[in-house]
């Protein structure tokens, strides 16, 4: 598990389509994910993956902290693209890395609706985004077969210093 954390504690998802029935059980209180029975969490993770693949998710917030603060992986979806960003307070940040010839150009998705993301740090494959997020939910780890751009410090992984 990243940063010596104990596991995923808090999850928040904004669905832009119909919310999967399994997700109605998730409250917005602290430790909402950690308090779920294991089988319920597995079913919800699978349903989230399906919703992402169908384009029914606007954003996801997954955190190792009880109230979703500090150590977190966020995902924003727009125009068939996904921007995934892991933030470990001011220690480091990581973004899904997808090498491509036009990688320096802005992707048609932004973080939080305002921070531009280069195409090299965004996915135009919603299957890939779903796999990355479900893996993180289930293991607290980045998907082992995907590349991540990592920067130590409190800047964005694609920012030149």
């Amino acid at each position: 598990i990243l940063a010596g954390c104990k596991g995923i504690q808090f999850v928040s998802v904004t669905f832009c389509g119909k919310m999967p029935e399994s997700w109605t059980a998730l409250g917005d209180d602290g430790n909402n994910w950690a308090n779920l029975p294991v089988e319920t969490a597995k079913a919800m993770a699978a349903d989230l993956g399906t919703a992402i693949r169908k384009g029914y998710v606007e954003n996801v917030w997954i955190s190792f902290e009880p109230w979703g603060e500090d150590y977190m992986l966020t995902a924003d979806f727009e125009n068939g693209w996904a921007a995934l960003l892991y933030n470990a307070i001011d220690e480091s940040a990581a973004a899904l890395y997808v090498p491509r010839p036009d990688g320096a150009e802005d992707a048609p998705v932004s973080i939080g609706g305002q921070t531009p993301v280069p195409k090299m740090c965004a996915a135009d494959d919603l299957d890939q985004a779903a796999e990355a997020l479900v893996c993180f939910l289930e293991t607290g780890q980045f998907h082992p077969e995907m590349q991540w751009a990592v920067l130590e410090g409190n800047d964005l992984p694609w920012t030149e210093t």
Side-chain angles (χ1 to χ4, degrees):
I1 294 177
L2 297 172
C5 296
K6 298 177 183 174
I8 303 303
Q9 300 294 307
F10 180 84
V11 175
S12 176
V13 178
T14 302
F15 294 94
C16 53
K18 183 180 177 190
M19 178 188 299
E21 191 170 319
S22 64
W23 279 81
T24 60
L26 189 69
D28 58 2
D29 56 324
N31 292 316
N32 65 354
W33 191 261
N35 291 331
L36 292 172
V38 173
E39 290 306 314
T40 301
K42 285 184 180 184
M44 290 174 70
D47 288 347
L48 176 62
T50 300
I52 290 169
R53 287 176 179 92
K54 291 181 176 181
Y56 295 163
V57 176
E58 185 176 320
N59 59 56
V60 177
W61 190 284
I62 303 170
S63 178
F64 290 112
E65 300 290 325
W67 291 101
E69 300 167 351
D70 300 328
Y71 299 93
M72 62 204 153
L73 176 65
T74 61
D76 290 279
F77 299 88
E78 192 174 350
N79 301 314
W81 285 71
L84 281 66
L85 179 67
Y86 178 77
N87 187 341
I89 318 175
D90 293 335
E91 298 170 13
S92 64
L96 185 62
Y97 178 69
V98 183
R100 59 180 89 229
D102 60 348
E105 294 177 16
D106 284 348
V109 61
S110 57
I111 295 173
Q114 61 186 8
T115 304
V117 178
K119 288 182 178 179
M120 71 179 130
C121 291
D124 60 352
D125 179 349
L126 294 182
D127 284 334
Q128 182 183 31
E131 286 180 36
L133 287 165
V134 169
C135 177
F136 197 83
L137 261 179
E138 292 178 342
T139 68
Q141 299 281 333
F142 296 137
H143 195 292
E145 296 175 13
M146 295 179 190
Q147 292 181 303
W148 293 80
V150 178
L151 180 69
E152 299 300 317
N154 65 348
D155 219 336
L156 296 170
W158 54 86
T159 304
E160 293 181 7
T161 56

